[in-house]
Amino acid sequence: MSGERQRPERVTQLQVSHSLRAHQRQWYADLQARVADGEPYILTSPIAPHEIFEALDLLYITDAWYSGLVAARRQSAHFSNVMSAHGYHDGLRRYMALGLGVVLDPDHPDKPWGGLPRASAVVTTNEGGGGAAELARMWGIPYLGLDQPAMRVMHPEWWSMQRRQWEDYDETDRIDMMAAQFEEVVRLAERVAGRKLDRDRLAGIVDRVNRQEEHFDAIRRIIVDSPKLPARLGEVMSQTMGIQWHRGSQWALDQAAAFHAEVKALADAEAWVCPNERHRLMYVGAGLWQKLDFFDSFEDSHGVVFVRSNYLSIASDGYLRYGARDPIRALASRYTVLAKQMWIPPLGGAWAVHEAREHRVSGALQLDSNRGIAFITRALRDAGVPVLDLPVDPVDARSWNDDRMRALVVDFIENALEKNKEKMDA
Amino acid sequence: MAESINMAAVDRMAAARAAKAAGRAVVAVVGPGVPIELVLACGAMPVRIVADAGGATPAADDLVGTAESAEMRALIEQALGGGLAFADLLVITRPHEWLYYYLKEAVRLGAEGVPPLHMHDLVPSAEASLRAYNRQRLERLAEAVARAIGVVPTSAALERAIAVANRRRAALRDVQRRRDAGLLGGADAVAMIAASHVLGPETFADQAEAWVEGLSPPSGPRLLLLASDPAEDGALHRAIEAAGVVVVAEDSEWGARAATPDIAAGDDPLDALLDDLHAIACGPDVSPRSARLAWAEAAMARDDIAGVVFAVPPGDRRFGWDYPGLRDRAAGLGLPQLLLRDDPRADPASVTAAVAGFVATLGREAAA
């Protein structure tokens, strides 16, 4: 096992990419210092109400974000191997769990972002939160696992209902279930923070998150409406999630506004990513955080750009909740189904087809690791969108073979996409 | 006397089909968390469905792809092939949530022969914050069963059903008592528990003692099994015990966790059923995590076991997170241990060989 990492060389187009990186560097440095001084922090997961921690001025790190940063530093293979050596078999998903590998390798000379310090509590989901649960056990800290309710009623065009019709869409008893668990999150977070939650402040933060997501919604609309792509997918994904993991903070709202303004300026100036744009592809699946520049690598050779990922689109379609009197309830509604609606049939397929049409894509590339993916593939193909499954883990570099992945995509472009285009042109 | 129990091992659905042919409604269940009392009270027969391992699954492969688990594809194949058409209702529980989504979509796309579906989303957790939701799930299940059968159960019928189910509970406690006393092997115990899920509870209770009396007591080192799947078909136990050992307990409702106390109907039978479900919830899906780890740690502390076998086959996605901690706990107790990664259904001989090698180690340790 080698601790050496290869530094990715990436084309940076957006100024906000620089400001995001600078913020992240400073944020982690501050967090390390504050935790070293005894300030508590929560280790949490994507399917958890971070806004509650924000409202309590409680530091938190999202495990999927940390895993993504480890992968982006090309260190995932090493820390995955560390986990394997400690008995966590290779079939266990690393997507949210690479922080465990970092903690299990305390003497590593180049720990990502200074390493993952001991948290004061873990709040995660029982489904998929195995790595965080293990950290809670090792650190001997409180652990709270959340459960999402199953879905029974499927609204195929769910994205048109969630913003304002969420009490109907997400169903009262399911929202009640999440809200009851979030009250447990409040109790635990208050204990850790040593202060009571100000629910008016929480309401203000939920409102601020809505305004942040509105910027993402507007950016998606610019990408949809522009004749060519104004911002590269890898940067858009990094930016979106870099902001999402701090959502509710003033910094996140300001950064989202700057992101929006910059993409709008690029589109207004017709400063396209690939002036010779020939094919627009969508990306379906968990973020390819270990290899974001892969999305850029077919621009010169084939005029191919990637225009869409789940991340920006779910920020618009899955997070916004208007008209809430009770902020806990609005958050509970979001998490009854967040992330699941991207995969459960027929919801995942219907969304993918809608997004494909909106973004005018000629093909889709997806990771085949999620449940329900077969239905999405079928829906896209039935809608005339060719699909390529990329057989790779989103964060574990051990599954990546650059030559093979390139060959797969080139074959897809030159055969499926070009032939489809010739047929359409004829 | 125990012909039905033997038959259940050969044709799991025979009793349910016979009941249906005789005019009795049948409620099929995939997964844990369904109190049979709610079905019995409507005069219907409950039957647990498990995957038929090893068969081809072309329709399921076409629907969901081959990346899905063999168990999932086998269950889908059964349903799409009309193998569950005898059921008046197919109840799918939380650990099989995606089976519900897949079958629901298959029906929307035109599949025929799938019974009416009901998603029973009882969360296997005793957390107070989930009690109201779980109570609602039981109420909705009771309503769904009553609608499907066309019978609204009376309180008296529910009390009678609880009494019948208690007879089954008593028989299952006897199974574990015999295991603890060294009179019954693990594979035979799993076969009996499996029979209890597909025969009517009265039939099972009537025949269990006679059947178990006809079995030979097992011999060999006594082992605890901690596995990632519930091992409901007995394949894992058979492969392990073929090496000359005895599996004495496992964290599974198809094993040691089937031995549960009787319940009393009381003033609120649904609450009593809910308490029972929370008490018996077991396996890798149970939360809080401390609850499931506590059972395993207590079992490892038993003084009548010679070692522990961890079974974590390649398809595992959950128990693997618990394994390193439990492994360390076993080591701390000085308990010899074996990790099995092979799939006992695909390659039972490898499992048997690995256990045999482990047993030889135990012999050397004992001699030393």
Side-chain angles (χ1 to χ4, degrees), chain A residues 65-79:
Chain A
W65 179 38
Y66 190 77
S67 274
L69 293 174
V70 174
R73 284 167 56 98
R74 308 283 163 88
Q75 291 179 293
S76 60
H78 170 75
F79 290 113

Side-chain angles (χ1 to χ4, degrees), chain A residues 110-379:
Chain A
D110 186 19
K111 288 197 279 290
W113 305 91
L116 201 56
R118 182 180 183 276
S120 302
V122 165
V123 176
T124 183
T125 43
N126 286 315
E127 177 73 40
E134 273 298 86
L135 284 170
R137 181 181 68 83
M138 288 174 195
W139 285 333
I141 58 175
Y143 167 84
L144 182 56
L146 302 170
D147 292 292
Q148 290 179 286
M151 290 194 76
R152 290 181 300 278
V153 181
M154 310 291 174
H155 296 276
E157 294 192 0
W158 53 268
W159 57 89
S160 66
M161 298 187 69
Q162 288 205 321
R163 295 181 189 189
R164 298 182 192 282
Q165 299 292 329
W166 46 268
E167 185 76 42
D168 179 39
Y169 174 81
D170 291 317
E171 301 176 71
T172 297
D173 58 338
R174 298 171 69 244
I175 298 171
D176 289 345
M177 178 233 203
M178 291 308 300
Q181 293 181 85
F182 287 1
E183 292 296 346
E184 293 297 321
V185 175
V186 170
R187 276 189 275 279
L188 175 61
E190 285 179 339
R191 227 171 37 239
V192 171
R195 51 189 166 268
K196 296 292 284 181
L197 176 69
D198 178 343
R199 290 181 189 241
D200 290 337
R201 183 167 187 228
L202 178 64
I205 285 170
V206 169
D207 181 57
R208 192 185 289 156
V209 171
N210 277 344
R211 284 187 281 143
Q212 174 204 301
E213 310 298 348
E214 285 164 1
H215 285 297
F216 290 145
D217 198 36
I219 293 166
R220 179 174 64 166
R221 179 47 55 193
I222 292 168
I223 292 170
V224 162
D225 290 341
S226 297
K228 293 182 182 177
L229 181 67
R232 287 192 171 85
L233 187 74
E235 283 188 90
V236 170
M237 285 169 62
S238 293
Q239 193 66 218
T240 303
M241 297 318 296
I243 294 169
Q244 285 284 65
W245 301 135
H246 296 284
R247 65 178 177 276
S249 69
Q250 189 58 46
W251 173 85
L253 179 58
D254 294 344
Q255 183 76 4
F259 180 27
H260 177 189
E262 189 170 0
V263 173
K264 183 175 186 306
L266 288 167
D268 289 346
E270 300 189 352
W272 310 125
V273 161
C274 177
N276 299 319
E277 182 178 306
R278 183 173 169 80
H279 291 293
R280 295 161 69 84
L281 294 189
M282 68 190 290
Y283 176 67
V284 179
L288 194 57
W289 300 112
Q290 57 164 301
K291 199 73 182 171
L292 284 175
D293 51 344
F294 186 69
F295 295 121
D296 314 339
S297 56
F298 306 95
E299 292 168 6
D300 295 340
S301 59
H302 293 84
V304 167
V305 294
F306 286 81
V307 298
R308 181 270 177 197
S309 75
N310 284 5
Y311 292 90
L312 182 64
S313 292
I314 199 66
S316 302
D317 291 337
Y319 278 75
L320 282 161
R321 290 291 185 280
Y322 294 120
R325 287 196 174 83
D326 176 358
I328 292 282
R329 197 156 186 82
L331 293 171
S333 161
R334 182 201 294 164
Y335 290 105
T336 56
V337 74
L338 189 66
K340 282 182 166 185
Q341 73 269 63
M342 299 192 291
W343 306 107
I344 292 173
L347 309 183
W351 191 49
V353 169
H354 171 74
E355 288 276 290
R357 288 181 177 144
E358 284 278 288
H359 287 80
R360 297 172 280 116
V361 304
S362 49
L365 187 146
Q366 66 186 19
L367 298 195
D368 61 1
S369 58
N370 273 86
R371 281 192 139 161
I373 198 81
F375 290 88
I376 295 174
T377 303
R378 186 178 296 117

Side-chain angles (χ1 to χ4, degrees), chain A residues 89 134 148 152 340 378, chain B residues 62 97 104 289 316:
Chain A
H89 65 74
E134 273 298 86
Q148 290 179 286
R152 290 181 300 278
K340 282 182 166 185
R378 186 178 296 117
Chain B
D62 183 52
E97 175 186 0
K104 188 171 177 128
R289 190 183 194 217
D316 169 68

Side-chain angles (χ1 to χ4, degrees), chain B residues 139-162:
Chain B
E139 290 167 359
R140 290 194 175 182
L141 173 66
E143 291 162 7
V145 171
R147 272 196 305 273
I149 308 305
V151 173
V152 177
T154 62
S155 299
L158 189 52
E159 279 183 33
R160 280 196 300 277
I162 288 173

Side-chain angles (χ1 to χ4, degrees), chain B residues 36-338:
Chain B
I36 60 171
E37 290 88 342
L38 296 181
V39 178
L40 296 170
C42 292
M45 175 173 177
V47 60
R48 275 291 286 273
I49 306 300
V50 298
D52 290 332
T57 55
D61 296 353
D62 183 52
L63 184 72
V64 301
T66 53
E68 264 297 351
S69 70
E71 182 202 21
M72 173 70 82
R73 287 181 286 135
L75 288 167
I76 292 171
E77 195 71 25
Q78 269 178 274
L80 296 185
L84 306 178
F86 60 82
D88 296 88
L89 183 68
L90 176 57
V91 179
I92 299 174
T93 72
R94 186 174 174 85
H96 295 82
E97 175 186 0
W98 279 85
L99 174 67
Y100 170 73
Y101 300 143
Y102 289 153
L103 290 180
K104 188 171 177 128
E105 179 65 356
V107 170
R108 193 184 73 85
L109 295 172
E112 295 178 357
V114 178
L117 300 170
H118 177 76
M119 177 68 214
H120 178 52
D121 190 33
L122 188 110
V123 185
S125 168
E127 297 281 11
S129 59
L130 291 167
R131 186 164 182 98
Y133 183 75
N134 279 343
R135 165 77 193 213
Q136 284 177 333
R137 296 319 99 191
L138 274 194
E139 290 167 359
R140 290 194 175 182
L141 173 66
E143 291 162 7
V145 171
R147 272 196 305 273
I149 308 305
V151 173
V152 177
T154 62
S155 299
L158 189 52
E159 279 183 33
R160 280 196 300 277
I162 288 173
V164 168
N166 280 342
R167 286 195 62 210
R168 174 176 175 269
R169 289 187 178 93
L172 291 173
R173 286 196 301 272
D174 186 56
V175 167
Q176 188 57 35
R177 185 187 62 75
R178 288 171 189 267
R179 293 181 79 185
D180 291 341
L183 302 171
L184 182 66
D188 285 333
V190 172
M192 290 198 70
I193 294 161
S196 81
H197 284 296
V198 295
L199 302 173
E202 286 173 305
T203 304
F204 173 75
D206 288 344
Q207 298 186 359
E209 186 172 355
W211 195 78
V212 77
E213 291 287 355
L215 299 171
S216 303
S219 61
R222 293 163 63 76
L223 301 177
L224 172 69
L225 173 63
L226 295 176
S228 74
D229 81 25
E232 70 274 14
D233 63 359
L236 179 59
H237 288 73
R238 287 193 297 276
I240 291 172
E241 292 188 335
V245 301
V246 185
V247 177
V248 295
E250 52 291 286
D251 186 19
S252 166
E253 57 159 342
W254 302 85
R257 305 300 298 276
T260 60
D262 284 353
I263 66 170
D267 295 336
D268 187 344
L270 279 189
D271 247 22
L273 292 172
L274 188 56
D275 287 339
D276 179 59
L277 290 172
H278 286 156
I280 66 175
C282 58
D285 293 317
V286 167
S287 62
R289 190 183 194 217
S290 54
R292 66 174 189 264
L293 295 181
W295 187 90
E297 289 177 4
M300 283 193 287
R302 285 171 60 148
D303 58 9
D304 64 337
I305 57 172
V308 57
V309 174
F310 294 99
V312 191
D316 169 68
R317 295 291 178 271
R318 195 132 186 190
F319 180 66
W321 294 112
D322 294 346
Y323 162 68
L326 292 171
R327 173 200 61 193
D328 294 347
R329 178 69 177 154
L333 292 167
L335 202 55
Q337 54 181 290
L338 170 68

